[in-house]
Amino acid sequence: FNPSPPSVLLLLSLLGLAAAGKLLVVPVEGSHWLSMRELLDMLQQRGHEVVVVAPEVSWHIKPSKSFVMKMYPVPFTQEEMDEVFKGSVEVFFEEGPFLERVIRQYHQAKKSSALFLATCTHLIHNKELMKYLEETKFDAVLTDPFLPCGQIVAEHLSLPSIYFLQQIPCGLEYQATQCPNPPSYVPRAFTDLTDHMTFLQRVKNMIYHIPNFFLCDVVYQPYAELASEFLKREVTVPDLLRQASIWLMKLDFVLQFPKPLMPNMVLISGVNCAYKKLDQ
């Protein structure tokens, strides 16, 4: 692999090549953070200043020499967080009828979203931390829009935002960017379909897409209410997401099926791969 992934070059172009830039990072816990952390290491090596805001209770987000970490308190313990994460992983691997799987995911989504929403609420209402962010002259915000807390912060600070993600549940990235996402062509999760479908398979794909609206409403509607209250204007989650300057998509057409993309969506496959030489 190239030691300078496209994601790094794109970020550098946004931060400025003539002088080191200052990047504010609002990450998402779990696997979302692991590939982002490697990117931050590279940015620090190139002379950029990176500031990460993270809750005091976390799973993978830990201090590093590559960035400055600003932590804030949250109203849950490490044990409570571990229990929620364990349940989220288990529900994805449980088998059974489609309706039962949807119901299980609905209940688990309520638990997980309540914890993450509390994390976001305590970030944006932490007056001391927000004052520091307001007074620090950042060039951009790097965030994973899987949860839109980073975009709320970016909007509050009037900063350009860079998204680093694989995908967002319910295809919100396509709704936000008005990117085509036809059920007759793009397979939905849990269908085990390909991008070559018969008519009946397309009908099945459409049916599997319907529950997404309910699941997404549970997870994302509270963020719309939180953002509207904090930014003092009525906003929806798609309103927040469409403000992104660039979408760095951790996708390729080897593991994922072909799908439409918008001009500011850039595929950066490979950032999650180990840098190892393969045997002949």
Side-chain angles (χ1 to χ4, degrees), residues 192-265:
D192 298 322
L193 296 173
T194 72
D195 55 322
H196 296 280
M197 290 179 266
T198 65
F199 174 75
L200 290 179
Q201 287 174 329
R202 291 178 184 181
V203 172
K204 174 185 176 181
N205 202 42
M206 176 66 79
I207 293 173
Y208 271 55
H209 183 60
I210 294 173
N212 284 338
F213 295 107
F214 303 102
L215 291 173
C216 272
D217 197 52
V218 170
V219 176
Y220 290 105
Q221 183 56 32
Y223 284 94
E225 297 170 0
L226 178 64
S228 298
E229 179 243 334
F230 182 67
L231 299 174
K232 307 233 177 335
R233 67 178 190 272
E234 193 70 26
V235 294
T236 64
V237 171
D239 289 337
L240 291 170
L241 295 178
R242 66 172 54 101
Q243 302 303 319
S245 298
I246 193 164
W247 298 67
L248 301 176
M249 313 287 289
K250 297 181 287 184
L251 301 174
D252 61 25
F253 289 159
V254 175
L255 298 178
Q256 283 85 25
F257 294 110
K259 61 181 71 177
L261 296 172
M262 298 304 277
N264 63 340
M265 291 180 169

Side-chain angles (χ1 to χ4, degrees), residues 23-234:
L23 184 69
L24 172 62
V25 180
V26 184
V28 171
E29 183 57 271
S31 61
H32 302 268
W33 164 251
L34 300 180
S35 55
M36 182 180 283
R37 183 181 61 192
E38 184 173 353
L39 173 60
L40 301 184
D41 292 340
M42 292 185 177
L43 286 171
Q44 188 273 336
Q45 292 169 13
R46 290 173 176 262
H48 298 283
E49 184 177 346
V50 179
V51 177
V52 177
V53 292
E56 292 179 350
V57 177
S58 65
W59 204 16
H60 293 300
I61 306 174
K62 305 299 179 184
S64 168
K65 295 180 181 179
S66 299
F67 50 79
V68 175
M69 177 171 278
K70 296 292 183 179
M71 306 185 78
Y72 56 93
V74 287
F76 52 82
T77 65
Q78 187 70 55
E79 292 73 20
E80 290 171 328
M81 185 176 190
D82 291 344
E83 183 178 351
V84 169
F85 268 94
K86 182 179 178 182
S88 298
V89 173
E90 289 176 348
V91 76
F92 278 107
F93 291 98
E94 291 179 352
E95 299 181 354
F98 173 68
L99 184 59
E100 288 184 10
R101 292 162 67 189
V102 170
I103 294 174
R104 286 198 300 264
Q105 288 184 37
Y106 175 83
H107 290 298
Q108 187 59 42
K110 289 183 66 174
K111 294 180 183 178
S112 302
S113 60
L115 184 143
F116 285 120
L117 183 67
T119 300
C120 185
T121 302
H122 281 70
L123 166 58
I124 64 176
H125 288 302
N126 188 309
K127 295 182 178 180
E128 183 179 350
L129 178 55
M130 292 305 296
K131 182 180 179 181
Y132 163 80
L133 299 180
E134 292 165 357
E135 294 176 349
T136 304
K137 294 184 178 180
F138 291 102
D139 295 291
V141 174
L142 173 66
T143 187
D144 187 324
F146 184 86
L147 296 174
C149 193
Q151 189 55 45
I152 297 174
V153 175
E155 284 291 290
H156 175 69
L157 300 177
S158 299
L159 290 172
S161 51
I162 306 157
Y163 290 168
F164 186 79
L165 75 155
Q166 184 170 26
Q167 61 183 10
I168 307 179
C170 317
L172 281 178
E173 65 268 41
Y174 299 101
Q175 181 182 344
T177 59
Q178 296 185 325
C179 181
N181 188 31
S184 62
Y185 178 70
V186 181
R188 281 1 187 201
F190 306 115
T191 61
D192 298 322
L193 296 173
T194 72
D195 55 322
H196 296 280
M197 290 179 266
T198 65
F199 174 75
L200 290 179
Q201 287 174 329
R202 291 178 184 181
V203 172
K204 174 185 176 181
N205 202 42
M206 176 66 79
I207 293 173
Y208 271 55
H209 183 60
I210 294 173
N212 284 338
F213 295 107
F214 303 102
L215 291 173
C216 272
D217 197 52
V218 170
V219 176
Y220 290 105
Q221 183 56 32
Y223 284 94
E225 297 170 0
L226 178 64
S228 298
E229 179 243 334
F230 182 67
L231 299 174
K232 307 233 177 335
R233 67 178 190 272
E234 193 70 26

